[in-house]
Amino acid sequence: MDFVIVVVVLALIQFIAFGIMVGRARAKYNVAAPASSGDPIFERYNRVHMNTLEQLVCFLPAIFIYSHVANANIAAGLGVVYLIGRLVYLRSYIVDPASRGIGFLLTMLPTLFMLLASLVIVIRNLITG
């Protein structure tokens, strides 16, 4: 479980770092708060940050549930894939939003796997008692 906690802390730090990047882009591209639009590059940083928040809503429960009902080491490994996916998503989205697919898949697939596998395991446990 310690590895899962490390991954979760890194995911939260990554989210904070993406927020800092939004702040820097806001200053660099002269987008005064509370505006959330203006320069296209600022908007890309902002969208990556918001998408990461949207992904965290599913990822965090998924990793904890899967680590509890299945295997914490596998959950941590899938969490590392998630973290790498977020970095790939950031880099590709800033360059060209149309190229974000691989980063998105590296983020979404581990989360979906953990959620669906957890559901199957728990239903199986309920049926078999």
Side-chain angles (χ1 to χ4, degrees):
M1 188 66 171
D2 288 345
F3 289 129
V4 170
I5 293 169
V6 168
V7 168
V8 167
V9 169
L10 289 174
L12 295 172
I13 290 170
Q14 184 181 60
F15 175 70
I16 291 167
F18 288 1
I20 291 168
M21 290 177 186
V22 172
R24 288 183 178 164
R26 182 178 292 282
K28 181 176 180 178
Y29 299 106
N30 199 27
V31 179
S36 59
S37 63
D39 185 90
I41 300 298
F42 162 76
E43 291 177 12
R44 292 175 188 180
Y45 277 104
N46 192 47
R47 188 62 211 131
V48 168
H49 187 235
M50 289 300 99
N51 184 266
T52 301
L53 177 60
E54 294 161 3
Q55 295 298 320
L56 278 172
V57 169
C58 292
F59 170 73
L60 292 175
I63 194 169
F64 281 123
I65 293 167
Y66 186 81
S67 67
H68 179 73
V69 302
N71 186 303
N73 290 329
I74 292 172
L78 291 168
V80 170
V81 173
Y82 168 91
L83 290 171
I84 293 167
R86 287 284 85 199
L87 289 174
V88 171
Y89 186 86
L90 168 73
R91 296 294 175 211
S92 61
Y93 200 97
I94 299 306
V95 172
D96 176 16
S99 69
R100 71 190 186 277
I102 292 172
F104 181 79
L105 286 175
L106 288 172
T107 299
M108 184 57 73
L109 291 178
T111 301
L112 283 175
F113 172 81
M114 288 187 286
L115 286 173
L116 294 175
S118 295
L119 182 62
V120 168
I121 291 166
V122 169
I123 289 172
R124 186 188 68 215
N125 288 348
L126 287 170
I127 292 170
T128 61

